[in-house]
Amino acid sequence: MSSLLEPTKIACRNSERLVSQLLGILQSQFNLSEFYYYNIDSAGQFFCFQASNLELVESLEKNGLLHIYPFYCDIRHPRKMNQTTFYTDDPMLTNAPKIKNCFSHFDYRLGVQLRRRNNTNLEEFGFHSAATTPNDCKSIWNYIPELRLFAQWFLNENQSIMEFLKENPIDLAKIIGPEFYRNRILEADPIYQERKKFLTALGIRQELELSTTDIDTIRLLLKGYSASQIAKLLYRSKRTIEHRIENIKLKWNCCSKAELIQKAQKLSNEGALSYNTF
C-alpha cells in the first residue's frame, strides 16, 4: 500500500455508486452530508471506511489525522457511546488545528458519533453535517434510532468491503507509539485538565470519582455477589449493573473484573471507599 489510508481509498473507489446513493438518502432525510465507519481493537489494529470524495481522505491523511486525533487510542479509555460535536467549538481539537481547519474547509461542522464497544473492539459510525445551531443538533437526536438502523444495514450489506478493510488494517499502536496506550482523550481535553488541577488542589484522587451507587456496587462485588444479585439488592436491572461495572473498569483502567476487584480491595483497605468520597 502506498499510503496509510490506501485501503480506505480503495474501498471508497470500489463502492462509489453505493456511496453516492447512500449520501443522497442521508442528505434528503437527515440533512447529513457525510458518513464514516471505523473499528479499532485493543492491540491498536485499525481500519476505516470513509464515504467521501478522495480529496477529503487525502487531506486528512496529509494533516496527520491518524497521528494526532485523540479519539484514536486504546479502546479502554472512556468516551461517550453517543455524542454530537460542533467542530468549531470542540476542545478536543485545540491541539489539532490542521484537522479542525480540514473539517471546516469541507463544511463539516456538526458531527454525530454512535459507538459500541466490547472487551476487544471499539467501533464508531459517524455522520457529518453543515448544520451550525443547537436546534440542528436537537433535530439530529430525534433520528438516532434510524441512524443506528442505517449503520447496521450498511455493515450487513457491505461485508466484502469490511472484510477487505479487516485484512488490511493499520497498526496505530506502532504509528503513534507509547502514547497510544495513554489516555489521549482526556489528556487532549483542556476542560478536563483544568478540572484535574482543581481536584488535585483539593486533594481528591481522580480514581475515586464515584457515585454512592458505584460504591455500593463495588462493595457488593467485594463480597462476591454477581451482577444479577447486585441488581436485585440495588433495585436496578442486571444490564445497568453490568454497564456500571464496565464504566468503573474503564475509569480505573482495569482490563478485567478480577483486576477491578483487586484494585477495589486495595482501596477498601485504605479506607478510600467511604460514602463521603467525591
Side-chain angles (χ1 to χ4, degrees), residues 36-39 71 113-116 122-126:
Y36 64 87
Y37 169 82
Y38 79 75
N39 187 302
F71 281 100
Q113 295 85 34
L114 308 179
R115 304 184 180 102
R116 58 186 179 185
L122 170 78
E123 56 183 356
E124 174 175 309
F125 218 106

Side-chain angles (χ1 to χ4, degrees), residues 210-225:
L210 303 174
S211 68
T212 55
T213 308
D214 288 335
I215 294 174
D216 284 335
T217 300
I218 292 172
R219 285 180 162 183
L220 292 169
L221 274 176
L222 290 175
K223 291 180 179 180
Y225 288 94

Side-chain angles (χ1 to χ4, degrees), residues 37-41 44-49 75 120-124 166 170 172:
Y37 169 82
Y38 79 75
N39 187 302
I40 185 169
D41 67 21
Q45 298 300 299
F46 167 92
F47 64 87
C48 175
F49 178 85
I75 67 169
T120 59
N121 291 77
L122 170 78
E123 56 183 356
E124 174 175 309
K166 288 178 184 178
I170 300 165
L172 275 187

Side-chain angles (χ1 to χ4, degrees), residues 141-180:
W141 277 108
N142 291 332
Y143 299 108
I144 293 300
E146 287 79 6
L147 293 180
R148 283 201 172 280
L149 182 64
F150 173 91
Q152 191 57 55
W153 176 87
F154 176 80
L155 293 179
N156 292 341
E157 295 297 318
N158 297 279
Q159 293 185 17
S160 60
I161 295 174
M162 292 301 108
E163 286 302 318
F164 166 76
L165 291 170
K166 288 178 184 178
E167 292 169 0
N168 296 277
I170 300 165
D171 190 348
L172 275 187
K174 183 177 180 180
I175 293 172
I176 297 173
E179 287 192 354
F180 173 79

Side-chain angles (χ1 to χ4, degrees), residues 69 71 83 85-95 100 190:
Y69 199 43
F71 281 100
Q83 72 180 67
T85 305
F86 283 107
Y87 294 117
T88 53
D89 303 321
D90 186 2
M92 300 294 287
L93 292 174
T94 299
N95 296 318
K100 188 174 181 178

Side-chain angles (χ1 to χ4, degrees), residues 26-27 30-35 85-88 103-112 127-137 140:
L26 289 174
Q27 181 68 57
F30 310 114
N31 193 29
L32 294 168
S33 54
E34 174 77 24
F35 74 92
T85 305
F86 283 107
Y87 294 117
T88 53
F103 287 144
S104 177
H105 175 75
F106 287 95
D107 212 19
Y108 299 150
R109 300 172 186 173
L110 172 65
V112 182
F127 304 85
H128 294 308
S129 172
T132 57
T133 69
N135 284 336
D136 294 326
C137 188
I140 290 294

Side-chain angles (χ1 to χ4, degrees), residues 246-259:
E246 287 301 312
N247 281 341
I248 298 171
K249 281 169 58 180
L250 288 168
K251 185 179 292 186
W252 287 2
N253 202 26
C254 295
C255 296
S256 66
K257 186 177 178 180
E259 186 179 348

Side-chain angles (χ1 to χ4, degrees), residues 3 68 77 105 116 120 138 154 173 196 243 265:
S3 69
I68 64 178
H77 296 326
H105 175 75
R116 58 186 179 185
T120 59
K138 291 178 182 178
F154 176 80
K196 183 177 180 180
H243 182 66
Q265 187 64 65

